[in-house]
Amino acid sequence: PEGALAIAEALAVNRSLYRLDLSRNQLCGLDAFGLGACNLTGVRALCVALDANSKLHALAIFAHNRLPLEAASALHEVAASKEHLDL
């Protein structure tokens, strides 16, 4: 989750990054087997940053990440509101 917070901070001010691959990360603290302590703080921060970001066009985030339904839904909601962002 700390890494997701750092990425969210960078995305909030990003003006040049068009693609980002966050697959195979423990964004919510869960490993590939769903083990660990789930924390949605980082994903929530990513959603806020993605909503503010107008440059990012492609975000790979669902491959090999264990995201709870709440996190996946929030990410899809942000992507749906942004014409230029594909997940």
Side-chain angles (χ1 to χ4, degrees), residues 10-49:
L11 280 177
V13 296
N14 168 62
R15 299 295 173 253
S16 59
L17 186 66
Y18 291 99
R19 295 173 190 245
L20 180 60
D21 186 347
L22 294 177
S23 58
R24 297 186 186 271
N25 284 283
Q26 294 181 14
L27 298 174
C28 292
L30 302 176
D31 67 13
F33 302 104
L35 302 175
C38 183
N39 182 337
L40 298 178
T41 305
V43 172
R44 288 185 184 123
L46 279 172
C47 287
V48 171

Side-chain angles (χ1 to χ4, degrees), residues 18-20 50 56-62 75-76 78-80 82-87:
Y18 291 99
R19 295 173 190 245
L20 180 60
L50 289 170
L56 196 67
H57 292 274
L59 175 63
I61 197 166
F62 291 109
L75 288 163
H76 276 290
V78 170
K82 308 290 275 187
E83 289 181 19
H84 65 276
L85 181 60
D86 291 324
L87 297 181

